[in-house]
Amino acid sequence: MKKWMPYLLVSPYILHFAVFVAFPVVFSVILTFHSWNIISPMRYVGLANYEHVLKDRLFWQAVWNTLRFLLVHIPLQIVLALLLAELLNRTITGAAFFRAAFFLPVIVSGVVVTILWQQLLSFNSGILNRMLTAIALPRVAWLDDPAIAMYSIAAMATWKNVGLYVILFLVGLQSVPMQYYEAADIEGASSWQKFRYITLPMINPTIFTVVVLSTISGFSLFVEPYIMTQGGPMNTTLSAVMYIYRQAFQYYHMGYSATLGFCFALIILFVVIIQRRYVEQEL
Amino acid sequence: MNPFIRYALLTLAALSFIYPFIWMVSASLSSESGLSELTLLPVGFTWSNYATVFTKIPLDRAFVNSAFVAVLTTGLVLVSGAMVGYALARLDFRGRNGIFYLIIFTMTLPFQITLIPNYITMVRFGWVDTYLALIVPFALNSLSILLFRQAFQSLPQALIDAARMDGGNELRIIFQILVPNILPTVLTITILTFMGLWNEALWPLIVIRDESTMTMPQLVTLFSVGGRAEGQLGVKIAAAVLLAIPIVVLYLFFQKHFIRSMASSGLKD
């Protein structure tokens, strides 16, 4: 083998990394000190973009919206996924069918799911409200009430993704040694005790994986509110990525948008590091 | 737990995942007045929603664009991933660990940082409104490199030694000898990559403005957000059904592999 062979083999990676990772990161930092609309030359503005971020109430609202989304989405997803995985985690007939059914929304584009749920959540003709009126309950403005629109989107995102986490939990559950449960049976433990003192501690790593994965995917929330509500009502479903997109591609504030992206990435890293700390202590 | 309750709960859950899709298909085949029915079968059956979609937006063209971009890019991801993964798994060279850590670092880097500069790169390269903007940035990805690396590490060294003795060069060793031995991994990477590309909406929205180059999710998004659906829900839903069909068909064929690949990667989007 020629000495240069390994370098030839990794050259696509080096090139790709340089152009699409290293350069953007460095350029992103440079951009944050400039004002630029792409057409006219870049203008150095010092820390003005950062000062602007601190005072930009809409950005902080967008960050808060994204966090509100996560605060509902993640616990809901873990509870539902664990419940479904528990139900499936026996040799039952039709397990393959149920797994496949839960997984269907996972593979379909978020665009499809969003258009679908936009109709199902419609105030006048949506299925949910028709079910409510059928049992004589008042209709709910799922997407038009500022107090609940973001939670409707969080519930929809849970519906879309939960199948993936069911599969991850199933893998986790199947790695728990049966002897533990047998020993617990001899001791006369209840189902809940077995779940609380054996299953839960054993699948802690899976829970952590699910929390981190859904945190990162939740922070990139964009298509769902973009199609469903365009950020409304009253900016309560405006996500951080949507706001960054808006600043760049509607107002052409490239420097400012890059600053927002940079600050938001720091927030993401902060949240993920906290999660990791916390979980490591728990383990 | 009582098996009856177990099945009742599972069936209820399965219905809540499947019924909305059935409703979507039947609504897309219903007349506008039948849309608000909680129906399983179309009300006032008609193809007109589908006919209208094609007169309003070039969805057939977008399908060809999406298929072309997703197939070609997936191919490139497999080739580049196998090359880099092999070098990392099997060859000893200076900087190997450095590259490995760069890959891990890239995976944890939020895309929000690189979004704007990458758009500017596309502008500078003159790639806006071309397929290059949709293909090149995705032609290599960290996850596939790591999966290839892992798979290549599990193969016996004797396989490589024998191939070298026969005078095969490294590229032939990778693609003719080793890759056929790790087909499950290749399938996993193919599924994950293709699915991600097919469903990607944000990046096309940024780099493509010209309708004839748009991908399906992008075109359907713009159609649904913009005024062109003119409040005709049936037409919007028909566009969504058309966007879902290709991936659902693939899913029905490769169900087991889809589920297994997602479980083994532990990653999505």
mmCIF file of all heavy atoms in Angstrom, chain A residues 7 16 24 28 86-87 90 93 100 103 107 109 111 119 127 130 159 162 213 219-220 249 265, chain B residues 6-7 16-17 36 38 94 111-113 116-118 137 199 206 221 233 251 255 263 266-267:
data_model
loop_
_atom_site.group_PDB
_atom_site.id
_atom_site.type_symbol
_atom_site.label_atom_id
_atom_site.label_comp_id
_atom_site.label_asym_id
_atom_site.label_seq_id
_atom_site.Cartn_x
_atom_site.Cartn_y
_atom_site.Cartn_z
ATOM 1 N N TYR A 7 -4.544 8.939 3.080
ATOM 2 C CA TYR A 7 -4.925 10.350 2.943
ATOM 3 C C TYR A 7 -5.841 10.553 1.746
ATOM 4 O O TYR A 7 -6.741 11.380 1.776
ATOM 5 C CB TYR A 7 -3.667 11.229 2.855
ATOM 6 C CG TYR A 7 -2.840 11.109 4.108
ATOM 7 C CD1 TYR A 7 -1.699 10.314 4.145
ATOM 8 C CD2 TYR A 7 -3.244 11.736 5.286
ATOM 9 C CE1 TYR A 7 -0.978 10.160 5.311
ATOM 10 C CE2 TYR A 7 -2.533 11.591 6.455
ATOM 11 C CZ TYR A 7 -1.391 10.803 6.462
ATOM 12 O OH TYR A 7 -0.696 10.645 7.625
ATOM 13 N N HIS A 16 -14.767 18.136 2.597
ATOM 14 C CA HIS A 16 -16.131 18.447 3.016
ATOM 15 C C HIS A 16 -16.123 19.181 4.354
ATOM 16 O O HIS A 16 -16.839 20.167 4.548
ATOM 17 C CB HIS A 16 -16.930 17.138 3.129
ATOM 18 C CG HIS A 16 -18.403 17.334 3.263
ATOM 19 N ND1 HIS A 16 -19.004 17.487 4.493
ATOM 20 C CD2 HIS A 16 -19.395 17.440 2.346
ATOM 21 C CE1 HIS A 16 -20.307 17.659 4.316
ATOM 22 N NE2 HIS A 16 -20.563 17.635 3.018
ATOM 23 N N PRO A 24 -17.616 27.507 7.688
ATOM 24 C CA PRO A 24 -18.832 28.137 8.217
ATOM 25 C C PRO A 24 -18.715 28.545 9.685
ATOM 26 O O PRO A 24 -19.199 29.606 10.061
ATOM 27 C CB PRO A 24 -19.900 27.062 8.047
ATOM 28 C CG PRO A 24 -19.413 26.187 6.981
ATOM 29 C CD PRO A 24 -17.921 26.210 7.055
ATOM 30 N N SER A 28 -18.943 32.266 10.550
ATOM 31 C CA SER A 28 -20.092 32.607 11.378
ATOM 32 C C SER A 28 -19.663 33.569 12.485
ATOM 33 O O SER A 28 -20.325 34.567 12.760
ATOM 34 C CB SER A 28 -20.649 31.317 11.982
ATOM 35 O OG SER A 28 -21.952 31.491 12.389
ATOM 36 N N GLU A 86 -43.616 -1.029 26.945
ATOM 37 C CA GLU A 86 -43.997 -2.012 27.964
ATOM 38 C C GLU A 86 -45.092 -2.942 27.448
ATOM 39 O O GLU A 86 -45.040 -4.155 27.620
ATOM 40 C CB GLU A 86 -44.502 -1.304 29.217
ATOM 41 C CG GLU A 86 -43.476 -1.116 30.313
ATOM 42 C CD GLU A 86 -43.092 -2.438 30.990
ATOM 43 O OE1 GLU A 86 -43.975 -3.281 31.250
ATOM 44 O OE2 GLU A 86 -41.889 -2.598 31.238
ATOM 45 N N LEU A 87 -46.106 -2.338 26.819
ATOM 46 C CA LEU A 87 -47.217 -3.132 26.293
ATOM 47 C C LEU A 87 -46.748 -4.119 25.230
ATOM 48 O O LEU A 87 -47.278 -5.219 25.103
ATOM 49 C CB LEU A 87 -48.295 -2.219 25.702
ATOM 50 C CG LEU A 87 -49.114 -1.377 26.678
ATOM 51 C CD1 LEU A 87 -50.033 -0.432 25.925
ATOM 52 C CD2 LEU A 87 -49.916 -2.266 27.614
ATOM 53 N N ARG A 90 -43.784 -8.168 25.342
ATOM 54 C CA ARG A 90 -44.125 -9.548 25.686
ATOM 55 C C ARG A 90 -44.242 -10.241 24.347
ATOM 56 O O ARG A 90 -44.457 -9.597 23.340
ATOM 57 C CB ARG A 90 -45.475 -9.638 26.400
ATOM 58 C CG ARG A 90 -45.567 -8.877 27.684
ATOM 59 C CD ARG A 90 -44.719 -9.525 28.781
ATOM 60 N NE ARG A 90 -44.229 -8.476 29.655
ATOM 61 C CZ ARG A 90 -44.831 -8.140 30.793
ATOM 62 N NH1 ARG A 90 -45.880 -8.773 31.170
ATOM 63 N NH2 ARG A 90 -44.339 -7.169 31.536
ATOM 64 N N THR A 93 -49.052 -11.956 19.941
ATOM 65 C CA THR A 93 -49.284 -12.068 18.508
ATOM 66 C C THR A 93 -49.586 -10.681 17.944
ATOM 67 O O THR A 93 -50.202 -9.853 18.613
ATOM 68 C CB THR A 93 -50.474 -13.005 18.223
ATOM 69 O OG1 THR A 93 -51.461 -12.798 19.235
ATOM 70 C CG2 THR A 93 -50.071 -14.453 18.189
ATOM 71 N N ALA A 100 -45.090 -1.711 13.468
ATOM 72 C CA ALA A 100 -45.125 -1.045 12.167
ATOM 73 C C ALA A 100 -46.092 0.138 12.183
ATOM 74 O O ALA A 100 -45.824 1.191 11.613
ATOM 75 C CB ALA A 100 -45.509 -2.037 11.074
ATOM 76 N N PHE A 103 -44.735 3.096 13.943
ATOM 77 C CA PHE A 103 -43.581 3.655 13.243
ATOM 78 C C PHE A 103 -43.965 4.458 12.009
ATOM 79 O O PHE A 103 -43.172 5.224 11.485
ATOM 80 C CB PHE A 103 -42.650 2.502 12.846
ATOM 81 C CG PHE A 103 -41.208 2.880 12.807
ATOM 82 C CD1 PHE A 103 -40.559 3.255 13.973
ATOM 83 C CD2 PHE A 103 -40.508 2.869 11.621
ATOM 84 C CE1 PHE A 103 -39.233 3.620 13.947
ATOM 85 C CE2 PHE A 103 -39.173 3.226 11.588
ATOM 86 C CZ PHE A 103 -38.537 3.594 12.759
ATOM 87 N N ILE A 107 -41.639 7.770 9.623
ATOM 88 C CA ILE A 107 -40.952 7.767 8.335
ATOM 89 C C ILE A 107 -41.509 8.830 7.392
ATOM 90 O O ILE A 107 -40.849 9.222 6.454
ATOM 91 C CB ILE A 107 -41.044 6.380 7.657
ATOM 92 C CG1 ILE A 107 -42.511 5.993 7.500
ATOM 93 C CG2 ILE A 107 -40.312 5.338 8.420
ATOM 94 C CD1 ILE A 107 -42.825 5.511 6.151
ATOM 95 N N SER A 109 -42.671 12.465 6.022
ATOM 96 C CA SER A 109 -42.140 13.820 6.157
ATOM 97 C C SER A 109 -42.948 14.653 7.150
ATOM 98 O O SER A 109 -44.172 14.543 7.237
ATOM 99 C CB SER A 109 -42.171 14.496 4.792
ATOM 100 O OG SER A 109 -42.110 15.891 4.925
ATOM 101 N N VAL A 111 -43.646 17.587 6.836
ATOM 102 C CA VAL A 111 -44.554 18.411 6.042
ATOM 103 C C VAL A 111 -45.916 17.731 5.924
ATOM 104 O O VAL A 111 -46.966 18.354 6.097
ATOM 105 C CB VAL A 111 -43.950 18.663 4.634
ATOM 106 C CG1 VAL A 111 -44.917 19.437 3.767
ATOM 107 C CG2 VAL A 111 -42.622 19.395 4.743
ATOM 108 N N GLN A 119 -55.536 19.966 9.536
ATOM 109 C CA GLN A 119 -56.959 19.706 9.313
ATOM 110 C C GLN A 119 -57.603 19.061 10.535
ATOM 111 O O GLN A 119 -58.693 19.430 10.940
ATOM 112 C CB GLN A 119 -57.171 18.796 8.097
ATOM 113 C CG GLN A 119 -56.421 19.186 6.855
ATOM 114 C CD GLN A 119 -56.562 20.654 6.532
ATOM 115 O OE1 GLN A 119 -57.586 21.256 6.762
ATOM 116 N NE2 GLN A 119 -55.492 21.234 5.999
ATOM 117 N N ILE A 127 -61.354 16.840 13.372
ATOM 118 C CA ILE A 127 -61.878 15.636 13.999
ATOM 119 C C ILE A 127 -61.909 15.759 15.513
ATOM 120 O O ILE A 127 -62.868 15.338 16.168
ATOM 121 C CB ILE A 127 -61.017 14.422 13.569
ATOM 122 C CG1 ILE A 127 -61.360 14.066 12.131
ATOM 123 C CG2 ILE A 127 -61.243 13.242 14.495
ATOM 124 C CD1 ILE A 127 -60.541 12.977 11.564
ATOM 125 N N ARG A 130 -64.836 17.728 16.572
ATOM 126 C CA ARG A 130 -66.077 16.991 16.306
ATOM 127 C C ARG A 130 -66.300 15.916 17.367
ATOM 128 O O ARG A 130 -67.423 15.665 17.773
ATOM 129 C CB ARG A 130 -66.035 16.363 14.916
ATOM 130 C CG ARG A 130 -66.152 17.398 13.815
ATOM 131 C CD ARG A 130 -65.955 16.754 12.477
ATOM 132 N NE ARG A 130 -67.002 15.780 12.213
ATOM 133 C CZ ARG A 130 -68.117 16.039 11.555
ATOM 134 N NH1 ARG A 130 -68.323 17.248 11.090
ATOM 135 N NH2 ARG A 130 -68.994 15.106 11.347
ATOM 136 N N TRP A 159 -46.760 12.694 18.618
ATOM 137 C CA TRP A 159 -47.429 11.687 17.800
ATOM 138 C C TRP A 159 -46.524 11.240 16.660
ATOM 139 O O TRP A 159 -46.434 10.070 16.322
ATOM 140 C CB TRP A 159 -48.724 12.288 17.245
ATOM 141 C CG TRP A 159 -49.549 11.367 16.394
ATOM 142 C CD1 TRP A 159 -50.468 10.470 16.830
ATOM 143 C CD2 TRP A 159 -49.547 11.279 14.968
ATOM 144 N NE1 TRP A 159 -51.030 9.824 15.762
ATOM 145 C CE2 TRP A 159 -50.485 10.294 14.594
ATOM 146 C CE3 TRP A 159 -48.841 11.931 13.952
ATOM 147 C CZ2 TRP A 159 -50.750 9.952 13.278
ATOM 148 C CZ3 TRP A 159 -49.088 11.581 12.634
ATOM 149 C CH2 TRP A 159 -50.040 10.610 12.310
ATOM 150 N N VAL A 162 -43.021 9.372 18.426
ATOM 151 C CA VAL A 162 -43.026 8.433 19.545
ATOM 152 C C VAL A 162 -42.654 7.016 19.107
ATOM 153 O O VAL A 162 -41.975 6.293 19.838
ATOM 154 C CB VAL A 162 -44.381 8.470 20.294
ATOM 155 C CG1 VAL A 162 -45.487 7.821 19.507
ATOM 156 C CG2 VAL A 162 -44.257 7.834 21.659
ATOM 157 N N LEU A 213 -31.606 13.124 22.315
ATOM 158 C CA LEU A 213 -32.012 13.125 20.909
ATOM 159 C C LEU A 213 -33.203 14.046 20.680
ATOM 160 O O LEU A 213 -33.233 14.824 19.718
ATOM 161 C CB LEU A 213 -32.379 11.712 20.447
ATOM 162 C CG LEU A 213 -31.234 10.751 20.226
ATOM 163 C CD1 LEU A 213 -31.763 9.395 19.800
ATOM 164 C CD2 LEU A 213 -30.293 11.300 19.175
ATOM 165 N N PHE A 219 -34.930 21.423 19.275
ATOM 166 C CA PHE A 219 -34.335 22.743 19.078
ATOM 167 C C PHE A 219 -34.321 23.151 17.606
ATOM 168 O O PHE A 219 -34.162 24.321 17.285
ATOM 169 C CB PHE A 219 -32.908 22.774 19.629
ATOM 170 C CG PHE A 219 -32.836 23.130 21.082
ATOM 171 C CD1 PHE A 219 -32.102 22.359 21.971
ATOM 172 C CD2 PHE A 219 -33.494 24.246 21.574
ATOM 173 C CE1 PHE A 219 -32.036 22.686 23.310
ATOM 174 C CE2 PHE A 219 -33.428 24.588 22.905
ATOM 175 C CZ PHE A 219 -32.701 23.796 23.787
ATOM 176 N N SER A 220 -34.440 22.172 16.694
ATOM 177 C CA SER A 220 -34.457 22.543 15.272
ATOM 178 C C SER A 220 -35.885 22.667 14.745
ATOM 179 O O SER A 220 -36.095 22.725 13.533
ATOM 180 C CB SER A 220 -33.651 21.537 14.460
ATOM 181 O OG SER A 220 -34.077 20.243 14.730
ATOM 182 N N PHE A 249 -33.614 35.479 5.680
ATOM 183 C CA PHE A 249 -34.136 35.315 4.325
ATOM 184 C C PHE A 249 -35.379 36.144 4.044
ATOM 185 O O PHE A 249 -35.872 36.141 2.925
ATOM 186 C CB PHE A 249 -34.372 33.833 4.041
ATOM 187 C CG PHE A 249 -33.110 33.041 4.196
ATOM 188 C CD1 PHE A 249 -32.918 32.203 5.275
ATOM 189 C CD2 PHE A 249 -32.075 33.187 3.280
ATOM 190 C CE1 PHE A 249 -31.741 31.507 5.439
ATOM 191 C CE2 PHE A 249 -30.896 32.490 3.426
ATOM 192 C CZ PHE A 249 -30.731 31.649 4.517
ATOM 193 N N ALA A 265 -27.077 28.448 19.452
ATOM 194 C CA ALA A 265 -26.263 27.234 19.552
ATOM 195 C C ALA A 265 -25.648 27.139 20.949
ATOM 196 O O ALA A 265 -25.562 26.054 21.527
ATOM 197 C CB ALA A 265 -25.178 27.228 18.485
ATOM 198 N N ARG B 6 -54.264 -5.181 27.738
ATOM 199 C CA ARG B 6 -53.069 -4.945 26.946
ATOM 200 C C ARG B 6 -53.426 -4.774 25.457
ATOM 201 O O ARG B 6 -53.022 -3.809 24.813
ATOM 202 C CB ARG B 6 -52.106 -6.114 27.132
ATOM 203 C CG ARG B 6 -50.808 -6.007 26.378
ATOM 204 C CD ARG B 6 -49.968 -7.258 26.613
ATOM 205 N NE ARG B 6 -49.571 -7.387 28.011
ATOM 206 C CZ ARG B 6 -48.478 -6.825 28.506
ATOM 207 N NH1 ARG B 6 -47.683 -6.121 27.734
ATOM 208 N NH2 ARG B 6 -48.168 -6.961 29.771
ATOM 209 N N TYR B 7 -54.219 -5.721 24.956
ATOM 210 C CA TYR B 7 -54.585 -5.648 23.537
ATOM 211 C C TYR B 7 -55.476 -4.449 23.238
ATOM 212 O O TYR B 7 -55.336 -3.799 22.200
ATOM 213 C CB TYR B 7 -55.280 -6.941 23.084
ATOM 214 C CG TYR B 7 -54.293 -7.961 22.608
ATOM 215 C CD1 TYR B 7 -53.921 -9.026 23.411
ATOM 216 C CD2 TYR B 7 -53.712 -7.838 21.346
ATOM 217 C CE1 TYR B 7 -52.993 -9.946 22.998
ATOM 218 C CE2 TYR B 7 -52.783 -8.761 20.922
ATOM 219 C CZ TYR B 7 -52.421 -9.817 21.744
ATOM 220 O OH TYR B 7 -51.497 -10.707 21.320
ATOM 221 N N SER B 16 -54.883 5.180 16.560
ATOM 222 C CA SER B 16 -54.589 6.611 16.582
ATOM 223 C C SER B 16 -53.411 6.962 15.665
ATOM 224 O O SER B 16 -53.258 8.101 15.256
ATOM 225 C CB SER B 16 -54.322 7.084 18.007
ATOM 226 O OG SER B 16 -53.003 6.763 18.375
ATOM 227 N N PHE B 17 -52.589 5.964 15.336
ATOM 228 C CA PHE B 17 -51.496 6.243 14.396
ATOM 229 C C PHE B 17 -51.912 5.995 12.946
ATOM 230 O O PHE B 17 -51.433 6.639 12.036
ATOM 231 C CB PHE B 17 -50.270 5.385 14.721
ATOM 232 C CG PHE B 17 -49.574 5.817 15.974
ATOM 233 C CD1 PHE B 17 -49.724 5.099 17.152
ATOM 234 C CD2 PHE B 17 -48.793 6.966 15.990
ATOM 235 C CE1 PHE B 17 -49.108 5.516 18.324
ATOM 236 C CE2 PHE B 17 -48.167 7.393 17.152
ATOM 237 C CZ PHE B 17 -48.330 6.663 18.316
ATOM 238 N N SER B 36 -65.155 17.347 6.047
ATOM 239 C CA SER B 36 -65.230 17.423 7.501
ATOM 240 C C SER B 36 -65.813 16.151 8.101
ATOM 241 O O SER B 36 -65.975 16.057 9.303
ATOM 242 C CB SER B 36 -66.077 18.629 7.904
ATOM 243 O OG SER B 36 -67.310 18.566 7.246
ATOM 244 N N LEU B 38 -65.834 12.333 9.445
ATOM 245 C CA LEU B 38 -64.839 11.470 10.099
ATOM 246 C C LEU B 38 -64.770 10.151 9.349
ATOM 247 O O LEU B 38 -64.865 9.090 9.948
ATOM 248 C CB LEU B 38 -65.255 11.200 11.542
ATOM 249 C CG LEU B 38 -65.412 12.405 12.452
ATOM 250 C CD1 LEU B 38 -66.058 11.996 13.753
ATOM 251 C CD2 LEU B 38 -64.063 13.022 12.698
ATOM 252 N N ARG B 94 -0.936 8.886 10.340
ATOM 253 C CA ARG B 94 -0.913 10.041 11.253
ATOM 254 C C ARG B 94 -2.169 10.876 11.069
ATOM 255 O O ARG B 94 -2.591 11.133 9.955
ATOM 256 C CB ARG B 94 0.319 10.902 10.963
ATOM 257 C CG ARG B 94 1.570 10.358 11.611
ATOM 258 C CD ARG B 94 2.703 11.321 11.396
ATOM 259 N NE ARG B 94 2.381 12.605 12.038
ATOM 260 C CZ ARG B 94 3.287 13.449 12.481
ATOM 261 N NH1 ARG B 94 4.557 13.160 12.342
ATOM 262 N NH2 ARG B 94 2.934 14.585 13.039
ATOM 263 N N PHE B 111 -26.724 22.622 13.833
ATOM 264 C CA PHE B 111 -26.681 23.114 12.444
ATOM 265 C C PHE B 111 -27.028 24.595 12.364
ATOM 266 O O PHE B 111 -26.737 25.254 11.375
ATOM 267 C CB PHE B 111 -27.612 22.290 11.558
ATOM 268 C CG PHE B 111 -29.060 22.667 11.688
ATOM 269 C CD1 PHE B 111 -29.607 23.618 10.840
ATOM 270 C CD2 PHE B 111 -29.867 22.093 12.664
ATOM 271 C CE1 PHE B 111 -30.944 23.980 10.970
ATOM 272 C CE2 PHE B 111 -31.188 22.453 12.803
ATOM 273 C CZ PHE B 111 -31.735 23.403 11.959
ATOM 274 N N GLN B 112 -27.649 25.128 13.433
ATOM 275 C CA GLN B 112 -28.022 26.536 13.421
ATOM 276 C C GLN B 112 -26.810 27.448 13.241
ATOM 277 O O GLN B 112 -26.939 28.568 12.755
ATOM 278 C CB GLN B 112 -28.742 26.904 14.726
ATOM 279 C CG GLN B 112 -30.151 26.346 14.838
ATOM 280 C CD GLN B 112 -30.211 24.924 15.386
ATOM 281 O OE1 GLN B 112 -29.192 24.246 15.470
ATOM 282 N NE2 GLN B 112 -31.392 24.464 15.733
ATOM 283 N N ILE B 113 -25.614 26.980 13.648
ATOM 284 C CA ILE B 113 -24.406 27.796 13.498
ATOM 285 C C ILE B 113 -23.992 27.891 12.036
ATOM 286 O O ILE B 113 -23.594 28.942 11.559
ATOM 287 C CB ILE B 113 -23.230 27.177 14.294
ATOM 288 C CG1 ILE B 113 -23.451 27.368 15.787
ATOM 289 C CG2 ILE B 113 -21.916 27.810 13.884
ATOM 290 C CD1 ILE B 113 -22.245 26.981 16.613
ATOM 291 N N ILE B 116 -26.348 29.875 7.969
ATOM 292 C CA ILE B 116 -26.174 31.109 7.208
ATOM 293 C C ILE B 116 -24.878 31.086 6.377
ATOM 294 O O ILE B 116 -24.928 31.338 5.167
ATOM 295 C CB ILE B 116 -26.201 32.344 8.143
ATOM 296 C CG1 ILE B 116 -27.466 32.336 8.998
ATOM 297 C CG2 ILE B 116 -26.085 33.637 7.358
ATOM 298 C CD1 ILE B 116 -28.747 32.472 8.240
ATOM 299 N N PRO B 117 -23.719 30.740 6.994
ATOM 300 C CA PRO B 117 -22.499 30.685 6.172
ATOM 301 C C PRO B 117 -22.611 29.683 5.034
ATOM 302 O O PRO B 117 -22.111 29.942 3.937
ATOM 303 C CB PRO B 117 -21.419 30.254 7.167
ATOM 304 C CG PRO B 117 -21.948 30.584 8.484
ATOM 305 C CD PRO B 117 -23.436 30.500 8.414
ATOM 306 N N ASN B 118 -23.271 28.553 5.259
ATOM 307 C CA ASN B 118 -23.407 27.584 4.172
ATOM 308 C C ASN B 118 -24.245 28.153 3.033
ATOM 309 O O ASN B 118 -23.970 27.899 1.855
ATOM 310 C CB ASN B 118 -24.029 26.287 4.679
ATOM 311 C CG ASN B 118 -22.987 25.349 5.260
ATOM 312 O OD1 ASN B 118 -21.801 25.466 4.944
ATOM 313 N ND2 ASN B 118 -23.409 24.446 6.112
ATOM 314 N N PRO B 137 -23.541 19.477 -0.327
ATOM 315 C CA PRO B 137 -23.419 19.579 1.135
ATOM 316 C C PRO B 137 -23.818 18.300 1.863
ATOM 317 O O PRO B 137 -23.391 18.067 2.983
ATOM 318 C CB PRO B 137 -24.384 20.716 1.492
ATOM 319 C CG PRO B 137 -24.539 21.497 0.252
ATOM 320 C CD PRO B 137 -24.449 20.508 -0.864
ATOM 321 N N ASN B 199 -37.144 13.731 2.986
ATOM 322 C CA ASN B 199 -38.020 14.534 3.829
ATOM 323 C C ASN B 199 -37.492 15.930 4.134
ATOM 324 O O ASN B 199 -38.186 16.735 4.723
ATOM 325 C CB ASN B 199 -38.286 13.799 5.145
ATOM 326 C CG ASN B 199 -39.146 12.561 4.944
ATOM 327 O OD1 ASN B 199 -39.851 12.444 3.941
ATOM 328 N ND2 ASN B 199 -39.074 11.630 5.868
ATOM 329 N N ILE B 206 -34.128 27.254 1.514
ATOM 330 C CA ILE B 206 -33.125 28.319 1.566
ATOM 331 C C ILE B 206 -32.400 28.484 0.242
ATOM 332 O O ILE B 206 -32.191 29.600 -0.221
ATOM 333 C CB ILE B 206 -32.122 28.027 2.711
ATOM 334 C CG1 ILE B 206 -32.831 28.238 4.045
ATOM 335 C CG2 ILE B 206 -30.890 28.907 2.614
ATOM 336 C CD1 ILE B 206 -32.020 27.825 5.242
ATOM 337 N N THR B 221 -44.651 22.430 0.835
ATOM 338 C CA THR B 221 -44.649 23.417 1.926
ATOM 339 C C THR B 221 -45.071 24.783 1.406
ATOM 340 O O THR B 221 -45.964 25.438 1.962
ATOM 341 C CB THR B 221 -43.244 23.522 2.550
ATOM 342 O OG1 THR B 221 -42.857 22.262 3.049
ATOM 343 C CG2 THR B 221 -43.244 24.536 3.695
ATOM 344 N N LEU B 233 -58.882 22.836 0.952
ATOM 345 C CA LEU B 233 -58.177 21.890 1.819
ATOM 346 C C LEU B 233 -57.889 20.587 1.100
ATOM 347 O O LEU B 233 -56.816 20.017 1.224
ATOM 348 C CB LEU B 233 -59.016 21.612 3.067
ATOM 349 C CG LEU B 233 -59.307 22.828 3.932
ATOM 350 C CD1 LEU B 233 -60.133 22.425 5.141
ATOM 351 C CD2 LEU B 233 -58.004 23.468 4.364
ATOM 352 N N TYR B 251 -41.354 1.929 2.690
ATOM 353 C CA TYR B 251 -41.483 1.426 4.056
ATOM 354 C C TYR B 251 -42.206 0.087 4.072
ATOM 355 O O TYR B 251 -41.795 -0.842 4.764
ATOM 356 C CB TYR B 251 -42.226 2.460 4.903
ATOM 357 C CG TYR B 251 -42.528 2.023 6.313
ATOM 358 C CD1 TYR B 251 -41.501 1.630 7.168
ATOM 359 C CD2 TYR B 251 -43.828 2.022 6.797
ATOM 360 C CE1 TYR B 251 -41.771 1.244 8.464
ATOM 361 C CE2 TYR B 251 -44.108 1.634 8.092
ATOM 362 C CZ TYR B 251 -43.077 1.238 8.925
ATOM 363 O OH TYR B 251 -43.357 0.859 10.199
ATOM 364 N N GLN B 255 -40.012 -2.768 5.642
ATOM 365 C CA GLN B 255 -40.413 -2.442 7.007
ATOM 366 C C GLN B 255 -39.401 -2.823 8.076
ATOM 367 O O GLN B 255 -38.958 -1.999 8.863
ATOM 368 C CB GLN B 255 -41.709 -3.188 7.266
ATOM 369 C CG GLN B 255 -42.672 -2.441 8.074
ATOM 370 C CD GLN B 255 -43.838 -3.352 8.352
ATOM 371 O OE1 GLN B 255 -43.770 -4.157 9.271
ATOM 372 N NE2 GLN B 255 -44.862 -3.267 7.541
ATOM 373 N N ALA B 263 -33.330 1.822 14.891
ATOM 374 C CA ALA B 263 -32.990 1.386 16.242
ATOM 375 C C ALA B 263 -31.483 1.300 16.413
ATOM 376 O O ALA B 263 -30.940 1.668 17.445
ATOM 377 C CB ALA B 263 -33.635 0.041 16.546
ATOM 378 N N GLY B 266 -29.945 4.900 16.535
ATOM 379 C CA GLY B 266 -30.308 5.727 17.676
ATOM 380 C C GLY B 266 -30.412 7.187 17.326
ATOM 381 O O GLY B 266 -30.379 8.052 18.177
ATOM 382 N N LEU B 267 -30.542 7.482 16.044
ATOM 383 C CA LEU B 267 -30.583 8.877 15.610
ATOM 384 C C LEU B 267 -31.723 9.085 14.636
ATOM 385 O O LEU B 267 -32.182 8.161 13.995
ATOM 386 C CB LEU B 267 -29.279 9.257 14.907
ATOM 387 C CG LEU B 267 -28.098 9.489 15.817
ATOM 388 C CD1 LEU B 267 -26.846 9.529 15.004
ATOM 389 C CD2 LEU B 267 -28.271 10.766 16.606
#
